[in-house]
């Protein structure tokens, strides 16, 4: 697979991950459980989430909308219409999302591969009254959420790398014009 093909897969992968995440958040906003009980949240916030607190419902609507924007941004890195979006803005958004998701998946400060491993091995203590719940959520995060965010972040990074290297989305001519010198007779004979 060529470098351009891998980058295209990254952009479409970011769009698919955004659509999957947005679909889950939309389902939660509409009242479905859709893994809400597996969200790695502190116990008091988890209770509010499962009780469908209006703030959490509103946040799900916002996250579903943000995911839709994410699909559009990811596609803008590979589709010709993406050349209309200022390249620096697109690069900033794509790299920021990629970095955020990769850092979240590593989880040095909380949930993520490092935080979950520290919790499950007993290096990071848990409140005694919530130990079983914390261990369950850490396992879910270690097996589902952290790999998902790592994949999503790597897809964003790959799309950003392609955009950075190509100069414009989909090589659509939206970048800098390339000056060409006069063609030599030997070049035209090929």
């Amino acid at each position: 697979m060529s470098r351009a093909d891998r980058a295209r897969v990254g952009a479409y992968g970011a769009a698919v991950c955004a659509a999957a995440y947005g679909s889950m958040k939309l389902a939660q906003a509409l009242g479905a459980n859709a893994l809400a009980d597996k969200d790695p949240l502190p116990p008091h916030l988890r209770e509010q989430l499962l009780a469908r607190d209006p703030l959490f419902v509103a946040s799900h609507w916002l996250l579903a909308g943000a995911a839709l924007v994410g699909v559009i941004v990811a596609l803008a890195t590979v589709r010709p219409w993406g050349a209309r979006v200022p390249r620096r803005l697109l690069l900033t958004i794509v790299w920021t999302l990629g970095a955020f998701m990769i850092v979240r998946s590593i989880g040095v400060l909380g949930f993520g591969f490092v935080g979950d491993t520290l919790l499950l091995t007993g290096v990071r203590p848990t409140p005694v009254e919530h130990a079983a719940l914390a261990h369950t959520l850490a396992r879910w995060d270690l097996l589902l959420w952290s790999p998902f965010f790592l994949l999503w972040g790597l897809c964003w990074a790959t799309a950003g790398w392609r955009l950075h290297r190509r100069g414009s989305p989909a090589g659509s001519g939206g970048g800098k014009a390339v000056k060409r010198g006069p063609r030599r007779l030997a070049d035209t004979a090929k």
Side-chain angles (χ1 to χ4, degrees):
M1 183 183 297
S2 74
R3 195 179 300 172
D5 289 339
R6 281 191 303 263
R8 213 171 277 114
V9 166
Y12 286 117
V16 167
C17 287
Y21 185 79
S23 297
M24 180 190 67
K25 291 301 178 184
L26 179 62
Q28 289 174 350
L30 294 171
N33 183 8
L35 296 171
D37 60 334
K38 308 300 186 251
D39 267 349
L41 293 170
H44 70 284
L45 293 177
R46 185 173 185 275
E47 288 172 19
Q48 289 178 345
L49 169 69
L50 296 176
R52 301 207 26 86
D53 180 274
L55 216 50
F56 274 99
V57 174
S59 74
H60 291 325
W61 282 107
L62 288 173
L63 289 170
L68 178 60
V69 171
V71 169
I72 294 167
V73 168
L75 293 177
T77 66
V78 291
R79 304 302 303 161
W81 50 263
R84 295 184 196 126
V85 179
R87 188 169 158 265
R88 285 183 193 247
L89 174 65
L90 201 53
L91 274 169
T92 300
I93 293 169
V94 168
W95 282 114
T96 301
L97 288 170
F100 172 76
M101 290 178 185
I102 291 169
V103 166
R104 187 272 179 233
S105 72
I106 294 169
V108 178
L109 300 176
F111 283 99
F113 293 117
V114 173
D116 295 333
T117 302
L118 291 175
L119 189 134
L120 291 171
T121 58
V123 174
R124 190 177 89 196
T126 60
V128 177
E129 66 275 9
H130 301 293
L133 177 62
H135 283 258
T136 299
L137 294 178
R139 282 187 207 97
W140 271 98
D141 190 67
L142 193 60
L143 297 173
L144 175 65
W145 300 117
S146 292
F148 176 77
F149 280 106
L150 179 61
L151 173 67
W152 198 1
L154 291 173
C155 286
W156 280 119
T158 304
W161 180 255
R162 177 185 190 275
L163 185 62
H164 175 72
R165 303 279 297 164
R166 297 277 304 196
S168 67
S172 59
K176 296 178 184 175
V178 177
K179 282 191 171 183
R180 298 181 192 254
R183 295 183 98 183
R184 291 182 278 152
L185 187 56
D187 290 340
T188 59
K190 291 182 182 176

